[in-house]
Amino acid sequence: MHPEDDLVTRPDVASGRLRKAPENFLDRSGVQTVFAEARDGRRDFIRRAFTTAAAGVAVGAGGNALAQGNPVPTEGGDPNILNLPAHSTGLGQGVVTDGYGKPSKYEANVQRRQSPGLTQTTQASVSFAPLQSLFGIVTPSGLHFERHHQGWWDIDPSKHRLMLNGSDPTLMKSPKVFTMDEIMRLPSVSRFHFIECGANTAVEWGNVAVPTVQYTHGMISCSEFTGVPLKILLDMCGVDYKRGRYLLAEGADGSSMTRTIPMELVESGEVFVAYGQNGEMLRPENGYPLRLVVPGVQGVSWVKYLRRIEVGDAPYAAKDEAVHYIDLQPSGLHRQYTNIQECKSVVTTPSGGQILLDKGFYNITGLAWSGRGKVTKVDVSVDGGRNWRTARLEGPVHSKALTRFNINWVWDGKPAIIQSRATDETGYVQPTYKQLRAVRGTRSIYHNNAIQSWLVQESGEVKNVQLS
Amino acid sequence: MSSSRDAKRLKGAASAVAVAAALWAVGGSAWAAGAQEFPGIGRSATPKEVSAWDIDVRPDFKGLPKGSGTVSAGQDIWEGKCAHCHGIFGESNEVFSPLVGGTTADDVKTGRVAKLTDTSFPGRTTLMKVPTVSTLFDYINRAMPWTAPKSLKPDEVYSVLAYLLNMGGVVPDNFVLSDKTMADAQARMPNRNGMTLDHGMWPGKSMKTAGKPDVKAVACMTNCAPEPNIGSFLPAFARNNHGNLAEQNRMVGAQIGADTTKPESTAPLGTGAAPVAPVAPKPAAAPSGSALINKHGCVACHSVDNKIVGPSFKDVAGKYAGRADGVDYLTGKIRAGGQGVWGPIPMPAQTLPEADARAIAQWLMDGAKK
């Protein structure tokens, strides 16, 4: 007899004590009853399963000719069902095997990746988020795309400081210094926003250059960011908002990255200094412990490792505003300070480099976004833009955030060209390549928001193509 | 700034976030409100602190430190600290895009780089693009040299910049660049008139055409375009340029990645073209002993340092240290179980692969290190 059985048969001992799990309180006859019922139930279950399997074979014989991906094997059953695997017959892992959990090993193909040959040094490079493998609108923090200007650092938050000052003393009454502890004591906001590099899809301005949506569109991610509206900090310093119409945001990394931000965006309450991302602190590759969030504006302005905000009365023409992130027009002029990411979308499933294994039903899905507000509509074409159907927008639809869309499609095995076209709340409609190039030529590099085309071939393989 | 104006402007803004921001700005001046609302947060920056970080230089030269440098001094610094990335003449494309090239004496006169309209010219150098000399000073001062940013003294920055401008034919050999002559250099920048702010992609009212898109499309729904004609796609030789796409897609789902190590199949589905099997991730390296004791639940009864139900792993390691057949013995004990060695509580037989048992035994014999 197990010593604990003694306890459960003696009510005087059991009552008033910390009780064990209920099953230990069954008496012997109760245990026998439960076991007997379980045995009978098991027999019933097995009998039912055979009946169902027989019925299934009958339906399968006259069933849908398109359905081939999951056939009943000739042996009459799938070995994955018939033979119980180790995970059903052995002891699994305990809790906290990993103090900070990781994805399944079977997800190891889902990684951010560099595009070979795009940059010559890894410290001034980019990695692309695997859009083809993501669901919903949130990018897992560990898959968030990266863009570094002089290498990333893991900065000690207890030593990090944020300074606010004016370009001259009259623009700010009291320049201030904040510690991370102080910033995290202030009232916080949490908001979903996309961040897209101004150069996302840049390699495709002239022609097709890369095979998959990861490399065409993967310099975008969407997170729930948490932090303090910058307006609160500026108010504490006594800013002259009449004269101080520009900000300089500056990072603490080697490049001390700098960008000009218009004061209007700060006054609207939208711009905030963020320490949180998807419920955890920012990842070091994304600016730990503090970065600027500038919704709707190209990623380079979301300065990482934010150390300083200067209020000024003129724009700054920082390196990335005077040498890069300027858009060459056919006239030979560059457009300077092109910051807004205009309305754009892309189908992620199916997309380039993938193979459809069968004909039949598919859920076409993808992402849409606009730097000017909410996405209101996404249309999808499977015939290269001749005809369009309006897709379902999956909630929630946030302003200046990724929006997931879905639409049903039955593939008949014939070649198809899949496209998506987004419209935002200002009425702006995502353009075709032809429309975009008619205005801007092919050498802008930045801000390519043209409609993407994926060719589904008869073999099932999907290719990145552009229409002439 | 008056509170009424502040409140009015923010009230006019449509978004809920603006309203939330207004709540913090109500009452007195924004500054007074901010200071009173959050007592104990933030402190005044000292002048010394501000000057340590306030290094930016604007196009109107606000922030430019006093100093000067010559072309020849710049050449020495360049060859020692800059040339290995940028080339002796600023022409290198090995690490970064070239800095110098593509500008002419005529560009220096007009302030527009003519080659920017020449689509056959292979690239764009920094001097072809940058309109403001302040930008170059600021960036060299804050971010160069690449591996030792902010290590140059102001005179060294002036010198290096003088040399760079001289290589581009912007300033003569005897030019002395200083806080006094920066405006002269600016007046000679080859692309100083090469920027336009006439676009709708600046999110503020401070530039000409704020918010007005230049490309206008309509959302046509039926019979919109002619029969599609594919104008551009990746050639077959580039199929595997980005590595095997089968290994870059989830191995389960609506579709899998194409195996680009093999030529593309052109046969339609269902005509004998076998779809490529999903690519499983590469097996991980053999797990360590400390991973295996977690995996197999050993830590339910043992810990590395302390006795729980059974002895600590350190104690086990100590007992058998030096025993020649220790690994074999412990492998057997783990799999068969036992009783009496460490007291009356039995250890049940463990079902785990022999290789794992052996790895745990080896780990014990190696001292049971965490």
Side-chain angles (χ1 to χ4, degrees), chain A residues 1 23 50 142 176 186 204-205 240 275 295 315 322 362 381 453:
Chain A
M1 182 193 269
E23 59 265 33
F50 274 121
K176 283 195 185 301
L186 287 168
E204 302 270 304
W205 253 110
D240 179 350
Y275 44 81
Y362 285 89
S381 171
S453 303

Side-chain angles (χ1 to χ4, degrees), chain A residues 181-226:
Chain A
D181 295 337
E182 289 173 323
I183 290 168
M184 293 171 79
R185 280 164 68 184
L186 287 168
S188 66
V189 295
S190 293
R191 298 183 197 132
F192 289 87
H193 287 300
F194 78 80
I195 169 171
E196 182 183 20
C197 178
N200 199 21
T201 325
V203 292
E204 302 270 304
W205 253 110
N207 49 260
V208 166
V210 292
T212 71
V213 71
Q214 180 159 16
Y215 302 113
T216 59
H217 288 74
M219 282 197 282
I220 188 166
S221 295
C222 183
S223 296
E224 185 197 49
F225 290 100
T226 298

Side-chain angles (χ1 to χ4, degrees), chain B residues 31-261:
Chain B
W31 181 45
Q36 286 161 14
E37 193 87 23
F38 311 109
I41 309 261
R43 64 160 175 83
S44 293
T46 68
K48 204 173 173 181
E49 288 171 335
V50 173
S51 68
W53 278 7
D54 186 359
I55 58 172
D56 62 275
V57 180
R58 271 193 337 202
D60 59 2
F61 305 133
K62 183 164 265 185
L64 193 65
K66 288 197 188 319
S68 69
T70 61
V71 172
S72 62
Q75 183 171 7
D76 290 342
I77 298 164
W78 185 273
E79 285 170 3
K81 296 184 174 179
C82 316
H84 56 278
C85 282
H86 295 293
I88 293 286
F89 303 105
E91 82 296 353
S92 172
N93 198 26
E94 293 296 309
V95 183
F96 304 105
S97 300
L99 303 179
V100 175
T103 62
T104 65
D106 206 40
D107 298 342
V108 170
K109 281 185 205 135
T110 62
R112 287 285 300 275
V113 171
K115 283 215 167 60
L116 289 173
T117 53
D118 178 0
T119 51
S120 68
F121 194 74
R124 277 176 279 170
T125 69
T126 294
L127 284 184
M128 286 171 72
K129 294 186 284 183
V130 66
T132 37
V133 73
S134 63
T135 303
L136 297 177
F137 186 97
D138 179 89
Y139 190 64
I140 295 168
N141 187 45
R142 74 173 56 241
M144 291 294 118
W146 173 243
T147 53
K150 305 176 189 71
S151 63
L152 298 175
K153 305 256 181 323
D155 284 356
E156 293 178 301
V157 179
Y158 280 111
S159 301
V160 164
L161 181 51
Y163 179 64
L164 180 65
L165 294 173
N166 178 256
M167 281 193 291
V170 180
V171 299
D173 294 349
N174 61 354
F175 193 79
V176 178
L177 187 66
S178 72
D179 50 306
K180 303 285 190 302
T181 62
M182 281 286 276
D184 300 336
Q186 174 60 37
R188 300 172 59 81
M189 292 296 282
N191 203 37
R192 63 186 178 277
N193 300 322
M195 295 291 154
T196 175
L197 305 180
D198 188 11
H199 59 78
M201 291 165 72
W202 171 252
K205 296 193 184 90
S206 40
M207 290 184 202
K208 276 186 183 175
T209 47
K212 289 198 189 107
D214 56 342
V215 180
K216 290 182 181 66
V218 290
C220 165
M221 297 303 285
T222 51
N223 297 318
C224 305
E227 193 71 40
N229 186 32
I230 291 166
S232 175
F233 55 91
L234 280 188
F237 68 80
R239 181 169 166 78
N240 202 39
N241 268 7
H242 281 70
N244 187 356
L245 301 180
E247 293 171 355
Q248 300 181 20
N249 279 268
R250 177 171 286 120
M251 55 183 283
V252 64
Q255 51 274 309
I256 60 168
D259 183 350
T260 49
T261 62

Side-chain angles (χ1 to χ4, degrees), chain A residues 49-187:
Chain A
F50 274 121
T51 329
T52 317
V57 171
V59 169
N64 187 345
L66 285 176
Q68 295 165 351
N70 186 17
V72 176
T74 47
E75 298 78 19
D78 185 340
N80 291 305
I81 296 171
L82 301 182
N83 307 327
L84 287 180
H87 56 78
S88 296
T89 54
L91 179 63
Q93 312 282 317
V95 297
V96 206
T97 307
D98 277 318
Y100 207 141
K102 290 185 276 296
S104 160
K105 66 185 174 191
Y106 302 107
E107 294 297 307
N109 287 349
V110 181
Q111 302 269 327
R112 50 187 172 204
R113 296 173 193 279
Q114 277 188 278
S115 188
L118 191 63
T119 57
Q120 290 95 327
T121 166
T122 59
Q123 283 94 351
S125 190
V126 298
S127 72
F128 296 81
L131 301 189
Q132 71 277 15
S133 301
L134 303 184
F135 310 117
I137 63 171
V138 171
T139 311
S141 297
L143 295 175
H144 192 293
F145 83 92
E146 303 161 276
R147 168 74 173 102
H148 307 311
H149 294 87
Q150 214 138 344
W152 64 270
W153 294 87
D154 195 358
I155 293 172
D156 181 347
S158 70
K159 293 177 179 162
H160 189 72
R161 301 288 182 271
L162 176 65
M163 180 188 292
L164 289 86
N165 69 293
S167 65
D168 68 62
T170 64
L171 283 164
M172 186 181 284
K173 287 194 176 114
S174 174
K176 283 195 185 301
V177 168
F178 296 89
T179 63
M180 285 302 299
D181 295 337
E182 289 173 323
I183 290 168
M184 293 171 79
R185 280 164 68 184
L186 287 168

Side-chain angles (χ1 to χ4, degrees), chain B residues 279-304:
Chain B
V279 177
K282 292 187 182 72
S288 65
S290 57
L292 290 169
I293 57 169
N294 280 297
K295 180 182 174 188
H296 294 298
C298 312
V299 290
C301 297
H302 304 271
S303 91
V304 173

Side-chain angles (χ1 to χ4, degrees), chain A residues 15 70 107 109 184 191 233 238 258 266 307 322 346 354 358 369 378 404 425 433 442 465:
Chain A
S15 80
N70 186 17
E107 294 297 307
N109 287 349
M184 293 171 79
R191 298 183 197 132
L233 299 172
T258 44
V266 178
R307 76 167 191 183
V346 67
Q354 297 182 327
D358 278 296
W369 59 98
V378 178
R404 173 68 61 177
E425 62 182 326
Y433 265 104
T442 59
V465 297

Side-chain angles (χ1 to χ4, degrees), chain B residues 255-280:
Chain B
Q255 51 274 309
I256 60 168
D259 183 350
T260 49
T261 62
K262 300 191 178 81
E264 191 181 342
S265 160
T266 50
L269 273 183
T271 57
V276 187
V279 177

